[in-house]
Amino acid sequence: MDVPGCAMFSAAVLIRLMLLCFGVYQDQNLQVKYTDVDYHVFTDAAKFITQGHSPYNRSTFRYTPLLALILTPNILVTSYFGKLLFVGCDVLCGPLIFRLSSLRGVSRSSAWVYCGLWLFNPLPIGVSTRGNAESLLAVLVLSTLLCLECKRLRSAALLFGLSVHMKIYPVTYALPIALCLWKPASRRRGVTRNFLACFSGDLLQFAAVSGSLFFALSVTFYNIYGWDYVHESYLYHVTRRDTRHNFSPYFYMLYVTSERSWSGGLALLCFLPQLLLLLVSSLMFHSDLPFCCFLHTAVFVSFNKVCTSQYFLWYLCLLPLVLPRLTFSVRRGVGLLLLWFVGQALWLAPAYYLEFEGWNAFALIWIAGLMFLLINSLILAQIVSHYRPVEVQQKKPR
């Protein structure tokens, strides 16, 4: 690593360590705590594992037991282990972005700039230092894309299977990955040969390795924790109806219909716009996998039944890979960024009065959520219309 890179990573690590120390002070001395509530949930679940019990004895722990198992040093060593792990993953995203950008034809100096957009972004810094595990998923997703870019299919398949096991949203990448590995039909081959060619060796290998790891982990944890594992890790997120205020355009509809017998079916119907948009983006942009995964994640988050600020990290870690190929001006890019923040501010204003002043502001929050969805859709439309796809396959390392 050259001098600019060392200086950048040193500064990024220092900022995060300073915030970790400040978080300890704030938790001990101020009424408003710095540490995220989820971090206490993770730690409590890890404590149950060390005692030989199920992590699901901790209410609201709706993740894979593997996460609680990874965080058992929170109990056995120090309560700050998990935060240090998440911060380490947060920083590790930097070199992964740099390497991917370089493989996609970005110059070394520009790759450092795009890397810095992640390393000094206040949102991932705040999320990881407060003890949220999203950076762990970001590392798995970026590592999967890097291995695919380098044609290391077995490693990519293992990482993909693990990422889907850790959190369900990366499963949306399965279709564009399959389309990338799929061999197109040829007029010189017959119907039978074209059908068999669809199931290429690379595609079958990727599906077999990733699927085997996912099912091996699932069967193992099902045998240990039973139906609680299946429901809390996966089914809950499919049937979830979060009627608390969030950025989702559906939350108010689910809130006012929560007592109806048919509200569960309505919640499932909310997935249809996501599925249609994911299918269209896969067919149109699968040849540029990082860009397609960015679109998938942005669509999934924007149209999800539940949408909170930490979900934004799911696509922000992929944004530095997209920015080098956008053809609009820096001025327009800054304008779109400001518009994105304005959309959040419009939502946060009524949310504050609901949360802290007790106002009945649910309808205003819902209207602000619709405006934020409109803003996100406008930004995605601008990105798609001004994106220059990768035309020349970059030379891959052996």
Side-chain angles (χ1 to χ4, degrees):
M1 187 181 297
D2 51 22
V3 175
C6 288
M8 180 179 294
F9 283 107
S10 298
V13 171
L14 181 61
I15 290 172
R16 287 161 173 80
L17 290 178
M18 290 174 62
L19 278 175
L20 285 176
C21 295
F22 174 77
V24 174
Y25 170 81
Q26 181 171 335
D27 288 342
Q28 294 177 352
N29 297 279
L30 301 181
Q31 183 177 2
V32 178
K33 307 303 179 184
Y34 185 81
T35 300
D36 195 292
V37 174
D38 283 346
Y39 189 71
H40 298 298
V41 174
F42 302 155
T43 303
D44 291 345
K47 183 177 181 180
F48 279 118
I49 283 186
T50 60
Q51 296 172 345
H53 303 302
S54 169
Y56 301 110
N57 288 348
R58 175 43 161 110
S59 60
T60 71
F61 181 78
R62 297 188 173 97
Y63 309 89
T64 168
L66 184 58
L67 178 59
L69 189 63
I70 291 172
L71 295 181
T72 52
N74 272 18
I75 309 302
L76 303 176
V77 182
T78 173
S79 60
Y80 304 117
F81 170 82
K83 286 190 177 183
L84 292 171
L85 173 64
F86 301 150
V87 164
C89 291
D90 185 17
V91 175
L92 181 58
C93 289
L96 291 173
I97 291 171
F98 175 82
R99 181 62 175 153
L100 272 165
S101 299
S102 299
L103 289 173
R104 287 165 59 79
V106 178
S107 66
R108 190 176 183 84
S109 58
S110 297
W112 281 126
V113 172
Y114 294 116
C115 173
L117 293 178
W118 171 266
L119 290 176
F120 299 105
N121 187 326
L123 184 57
I125 292 174
V127 168
S128 63
T129 55
R130 294 184 67 226
N132 199 284
E134 302 306 329
S135 61
L136 189 59
L137 264 295
V139 164
L140 290 174
V141 168
L142 289 170
S143 298
T144 300
L145 292 175
L146 179 59
C147 289
L148 284 170
E149 198 78 13
C150 296
K151 299 298 183 183
R152 298 173 182 171
L153 287 183
R154 276 176 289 186
S155 297
L158 288 171
L159 289 164
F160 180 71
L162 181 58
S163 64
V164 174
H165 173 79
M166 292 295 293
K167 190 159 284 188
I168 198 169
Y169 83 87
V171 75
T172 63
Y173 304 157
L175 180 57
I177 291 175
L179 291 173
C180 281
L181 300 177
W182 170 69
K183 291 183 178 179
S186 172
R187 293 182 180 179
R188 297 180 181 180
R189 298 195 297 258
V191 176
T192 304
R193 285 190 173 184
N194 276 325
F195 176 77
L196 294 175
C198 293
F199 303 95
S200 64
D202 289 345
L203 179 56
L204 291 176
Q205 182 186 43
F206 188 92
V209 173
S210 59
S212 296
L213 177 61
F214 176 82
F215 284 110
L217 290 170
S218 297
V219 169
T220 299
F221 288 128
Y222 178 78
N223 287 332
I224 298 174
Y225 302 113
W227 185 252
D228 284 343
Y229 159 70
V230 178
H231 179 266
E232 300 294 342
S233 296
Y234 301 110
L235 296 183
Y236 169 81
H237 300 284
V238 175
T239 60
R240 179 180 181 184
R241 288 173 290 164
D242 195 330
T243 56
R244 297 194 63 183
H245 53 288
N246 61 79
F247 286 95
S248 172
Y250 302 117
F251 104 88
Y252 191 65
M253 177 183 67
L254 298 177
Y255 170 72
V256 298
T257 61
S258 59
E259 302 299 325
R260 304 296 179 91
S261 59
W262 41 266
S263 60
L266 182 63
L268 291 177
L269 285 175
C270 294
F271 285 113
L272 284 180
Q274 284 177 314
L275 293 175
L276 291 174
L277 290 171
L278 293 177
L279 177 61
V280 171
S281 59
S282 295
L283 295 175
M284 293 183 62
F285 302 108
H286 66 270
S287 59
D288 192 339
L289 192 56
F291 178 60
C292 190
C293 290
F294 167 79
L295 289 181
H296 267 228
T297 314
V299 165
F300 184 87
V301 170
S302 300
F303 288 85
N304 202 33
K305 292 183 297 179
V306 180
C307 180
T308 61
S309 295
Q310 67 192 47
Y311 290 12
F312 301 155
L313 267 67
W314 297 354
Y315 59 81
L316 286 179
C317 69
L318 299 171
L319 182 60
L321 305 177
V322 174
L323 289 176
R325 299 192 171 274
L326 293 179
T327 57
F328 53 61
S329 64
V330 175
R331 182 178 179 180
R332 174 173 292 190
V334 172
L336 293 175
L337 178 62
L338 292 176
L339 184 62
W340 187 68
F341 281 116
V342 167
Q344 293 184 59
L346 291 174
W347 183 90
L348 288 170
Y352 168 82
Y353 284 104
L354 171 67
E355 191 75 23
F356 295 100
E357 302 294 336
W359 289 19
N360 183 7
F362 282 102
L364 289 176
I365 293 174
W366 173 63
I367 294 173
L370 291 177
M371 293 182 66
F372 188 57
L373 175 64
L374 181 63
I375 288 172
N376 279 323
S377 301
L378 173 63
I379 292 174
L380 285 176
Q382 287 288 306
I383 289 175
V384 169
S385 61
H386 290 85
Y387 187 77
R388 177 172 53 87
V390 178
E391 298 177 356
V392 181
Q393 187 79 8
Q394 301 297 323
K395 185 178 180 180
K396 309 292 189 301
R398 296 180 180 179

